[in-house]
Amino acid sequence: MFVSQTLGTALGCVTAPLSFFLFYKAFDVGNPHGEFKAPYALIYRNMAILGVQGFSALPQHCLQLCYGFFAFAVLVNLVRDFSPKIGKYMPLPMVMGVPFLVGAYFAIDMCIGSLIVFTWHKLDSKKAALMVPAVASGLICGEGLWTLPASVLALAKVKPPMCMKFLGS
């Protein structure tokens, strides 16, 4: 196991920078309007500005909104924990924040996946409980693995056909 972890770490040290440079050359990484927005870069930049300039760098009423949404999240979690009848209909505040971090495309994928899981549970609950994690992992890996051929095609200035990309013209 230790040898496997060592080999995996060594390979990761080589493949991660190569993959990054491939994506950087093929796509407009970091463009807020592009496909690869690099949301963490913007978050860390703003955290650095906040650390240097303090709360005065925040927009007006931002702290009040943070306090309000924090209280809302605590309230929702308390209702979920202490009121099982109502709690099962309450959303998870942590999940509600995902689209703000990674973008709307991920939220749409998750919504479609949730509808498929819901339908699958209605049709065959036992099989769905067993297979949903495996199918979801496979779909996530498949989407991640597709970015490598997509970046090679982008470097070659090949536009993907309709079945690979759904964007307006």
Side-chain angles (χ1 to χ4, degrees), residues 20-42:
F20 171 75
F21 285 122
L22 180 65
F23 294 154
Y24 186 74
K25 293 288 185 186
F27 303 115
D28 191 14
V29 177
N31 181 358
H33 304 292
E35 186 176 353
F36 296 99
K37 297 170 180 51
Y40 283 113
L42 182 62

Side-chain angles (χ1 to χ4, degrees), residues 46-59:
N46 288 332
M47 283 174 46
I49 290 172
L50 187 63
V52 171
Q53 296 179 1
F55 291 134
S56 64
L58 292 173

Side-chain angles (χ1 to χ4, degrees), residues 66-125:
C66 288
Y67 296 145
F69 284 117
F70 176 77
F72 172 73
V74 169
L75 180 70
V76 166
N77 282 316
L78 288 173
V79 170
R80 284 182 59 87
D81 290 342
F82 295 115
S83 179
K85 287 184 179 180
I86 301 171
K88 65 182 178 181
Y89 298 110
M90 299 298 278
L92 288 170
M94 186 175 187
V95 176
M96 291 168 41
V98 169
F100 294 103
L101 184 62
V102 296
Y105 69 93
F106 189 70
I108 293 168
D109 292 347
M110 293 300 289
C111 180
I112 292 170
S114 296
L115 289 172
I116 292 170
V117 168
F118 177 77
T119 306
W120 198 354
H121 273 286
K122 290 294 182 190
L123 295 175
D124 188 359
S125 182

Side-chain angles (χ1 to χ4, degrees), residues 35 146 150 153-154 157-167:
E35 186 176 353
W146 172 244
L153 289 174
K157 305 284 189 243
V158 174
K159 294 192 182 219
M162 179 63 182
C163 64
M164 293 182 197
K165 194 171 196 175
F166 296 99
L167 296 176

